[in-house]
């Protein structure tokens, strides 16, 4: 397994700049997730790392050796795609062993690797089947198995769970996490789904418009988003982003105050920062989301533990928990005012 270094990586398609200068170091054994909205350049970055696209500028090192102009087949990486890309006429066993046979790996070694991968992925009983006789989840596990048997320096995953239904996605996500714990390989995983990113990653790289917005552990990004984009992208329901003057928390250079839905607390009138009116209640059983409107048409989302008897039209005094406020300046960058008023009332 190996680490990866990207320095000033750019990719243009004709006159369109898709990657605008990516600098990133990934440690040996790390599980890194690239997350960002559709079209931000995640797949392009992965394909440039894989060698399936040539970088327009910058350089790439794997395990300390420059590979910027090395052919994909010589980089020692294995990629798993959303569309499993299995050979339909081959059995599961053949799908997994095919590349190794082409590489001239001895038969006994192939058998050992395929058996081990099949065991890890619970495919042992399906080795003789053709992909057409497998469920979507099993097919994706075969695609992952095909990557494992190659014993790659780095695993690259491009939205591998997107074609699975919700339940299977969660189950396969857990299997991937267990797999990483077991084989300890360097893994780079692309998704547009921030829940997948939060649950799988040692470290998340948030991409937007061909640039890295922020890199950090899932909780770093959740607790200390560096800018408005990351604040809004990580976390569901989204962080409330309120004009600072509207909540009378206008402080220094801060123009926007952010607060997550779980940090807006129902309270008595006397302690309230604002009173909101409930527009919509989502009861999830273990938690409840309230979508509300405050003064000046402020939209405020509130997360409550457990169940709530509140309904549409109810008035609710709430306080904004001071220790959980986020502040952003006019450029959208996180900032930290010197003092935070105890009360937001004028
Ligand atoms: N081969 C290509 N030729 C031209 N434009 C491309 C090509 N591949 C990707 N793009 C463009 O690059 C941008 C990023 O694409 P992509 O990396 O697939 O985004 P993501 O995976 O984040 O959804 C998109 O605007 C896409 O249209
Ligand atoms: Mg993509």
């Amino acid at each position: 397994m190996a680490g990866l270094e990207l320095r000033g990586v750019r990719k243009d398609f004709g006159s369109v700049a898709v990657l605008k200068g990516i600098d990133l170091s990934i440690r040996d054994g790390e599980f890194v997730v690239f997350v960002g909205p559709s079209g931000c350049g995640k797949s392009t970055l992965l394909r440039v790392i894989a060698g399936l696209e040539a970088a327009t500028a910058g350089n790439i090192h794997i395990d300390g050796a420059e590979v910027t102009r090395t052919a994909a087949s010589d980089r020692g990486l294995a990629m798993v795609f959303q569309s499993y890309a299995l050979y339909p006429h081959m059995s599961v066993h053949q799908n997994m062993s095919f590349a190794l046979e082409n590489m001239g790996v001895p038969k006994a070694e192939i058998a050992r690797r395929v058996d081990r991968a099949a065991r890890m992925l619970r495919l042992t009983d399906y080795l003789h089947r053709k992909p057409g006789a497998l469920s979507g989840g099993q097919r994706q596990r075969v695609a992952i198995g095909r990557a494992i048997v190659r014993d790659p320096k780095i695993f690259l995953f491009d939205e591998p769970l997107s074609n699975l239904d919700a339940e299977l996605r969660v189950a396969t996500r857990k299997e991937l996490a267990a797999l990483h714990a077991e084989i300890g390989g360097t893994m780079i995983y692309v998704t547009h789904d921030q829940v997948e990113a939060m649950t799988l990653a040692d470290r998340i790289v948030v991409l937007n418009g061909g640039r890295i917005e922020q890199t950090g552990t899932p909780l770093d990004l959740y607790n200390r988003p560096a800018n408005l984009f990351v604040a809004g992208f990580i976390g569901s329901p989204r962080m409330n982003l309120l004009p600072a003057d509207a909540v009378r928390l206008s402080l220094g250079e801060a123009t926007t105050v952010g607060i997550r839905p779980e940090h807006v607390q129902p309270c008595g009138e006397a302690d309230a920062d604002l009173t909101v009116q409930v527009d919509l209640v989502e009861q999830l059983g273990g938690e409840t989301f309230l979508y509300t409107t405050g003064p000046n048409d402020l939209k405020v989302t509130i997360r409550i533990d457990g169940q709530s008897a509140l309904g549409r039209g109810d008035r609710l005094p709430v306080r904004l928990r001071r220790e959980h406020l986020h502040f952003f300046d006019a450029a959208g960058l996180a900032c930290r005012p010197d003092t935070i008023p105890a009360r937001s009332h004028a």
Side-chain angles (χ1 to χ4, degrees):
M1 288 297 158
L4 174 75
E5 289 275 328
L6 303 175
R7 289 289 159 251
V9 169
R10 306 178 68 88
K11 178 66 187 174
D12 301 338
F13 287 110
S15 61
V16 181
V18 171
L19 300 177
K20 299 170 185 168
I22 302 288
D23 293 296
L24 181 66
S25 298
I26 294 177
R27 288 186 300 278
D28 188 15
E30 218 178 356
F31 198 134
V32 170
V33 176
F34 296 168
V35 70
S38 181
C40 71
K42 304 181 293 296
S43 293
T44 302
L45 182 55
L46 207 65
R47 293 171 61 79
V48 166
I49 293 169
L52 299 172
E53 299 282 357
T56 306
N59 55 63
I60 305 168
H61 288 78
I62 294 172
D63 225 1
E66 172 145 25
V67 298
T68 316
R69 272 162 289 278
T70 303
S73 54
D74 295 330
R75 292 192 188 187
L77 314 182
M79 193 150 167
V80 178
F81 301 92
Q82 175 180 348
S83 63
Y84 324 120
L86 301 176
Y87 299 108
H89 58 287
M90 290 186 188
S91 69
V92 168
H93 191 288
Q94 288 167 326
N95 264 284
M96 291 210 266
S97 58
F98 180 67
L100 300 182
E101 281 162 14
N102 281 351
M103 288 156 62
V105 176
K107 277 216 152 23
E109 174 67 10
I110 293 177
R112 195 188 64 77
R113 291 196 202 177
V114 170
D115 286 349
R116 174 169 173 266
R119 201 165 9 85
M120 280 197 271
L121 295 162
R122 290 182 290 106
L123 289 169
T124 306
D125 294 341
Y126 303 92
L127 284 171
H128 59 283
R129 286 207 197 169
K130 300 254 170 75
L134 298 176
S135 69
Q138 289 167 335
R139 283 180 215 175
Q140 190 52 285
R141 296 214 297 275
V142 176
I144 294 168
R146 201 172 42 180
I148 291 174
V149 296
R150 295 177 57 188
D151 194 17
K153 290 186 176 147
I154 301 176
F155 288 91
L156 306 175
F157 296 97
D158 194 352
E159 311 235 12
L161 309 186
S162 300
N163 282 349
L164 306 181
D165 66 43
E167 200 178 331
L168 203 51
R169 215 159 47 224
V170 173
T172 313
R173 194 173 83 201
K174 289 187 191 151
E175 286 172 1
L176 264 178
L179 191 72
H180 181 246
E182 183 169 351
I183 56 185
T186 309
M187 297 188 174
I188 306 176
Y189 185 103
V190 161
T191 180
H192 64 275
D193 178 346
Q194 56 97 18
V195 175
E196 246 171 64
M198 291 293 284
T199 51
L200 280 171
D202 293 323
R203 211 149 52 98
I204 297 177
V205 176
V206 181
L207 289 167
N208 180 32
R211 288 197 173 84
I212 294 178
E213 292 276 0
Q214 190 174 358
T215 302
T217 66
L219 291 184
D220 278 344
L221 301 193
Y222 193 83
N223 295 333
R224 286 178 295 281
N227 53 54
L228 282 174
F229 181 83
V230 176
F233 192 78
I234 300 285
S236 177
R238 284 161 58 94
M239 183 188 284
N240 294 294
L241 296 170
L242 312 170
D245 52 359
V247 287
R248 303 207 185 110
L249 281 167
S250 181
L251 290 159
E253 56 192 344
T255 56
T256 301
V257 175
I259 186 155
R260 295 211 180 270
E262 65 268 33
H263 299 138
V264 182
Q265 268 185 337
C267 63
E269 296 277 358
D271 296 323
D273 287 311
L274 61 158
T275 296
V276 297
Q277 183 164 345
V278 177
D279 300 325
L280 178 71
V281 181
E282 285 182 350
Q283 299 275 9
L284 300 181
E287 59 187 346
T288 304
F289 301 133
L290 305 175
Y291 299 92
T292 74
T293 304
N296 305 314
D297 215 27
L298 278 186
K299 300 295 177 197
V300 181
T301 304
I302 305 170
R303 176 183 175 278
I304 297 175
D305 271 342
Q307 303 176 4
S308 168
L310 289 164
R312 181 179 165 80
D314 285 346
R315 287 178 74 259
L316 184 67
V318 294
R319 66 182 289 276
L320 311 177
R321 290 180 58 191
R322 291 295 176 274
E323 66 277 29
H324 293 292
L325 293 176
H326 300 260
F327 297 92
F328 302 94
D329 64 18
L333 300 179
C335 59
R336 177 111 312 261
D338 298 335
T339 55
I340 300 167
R343 302 284 303 260
S344 65
H345 296 299

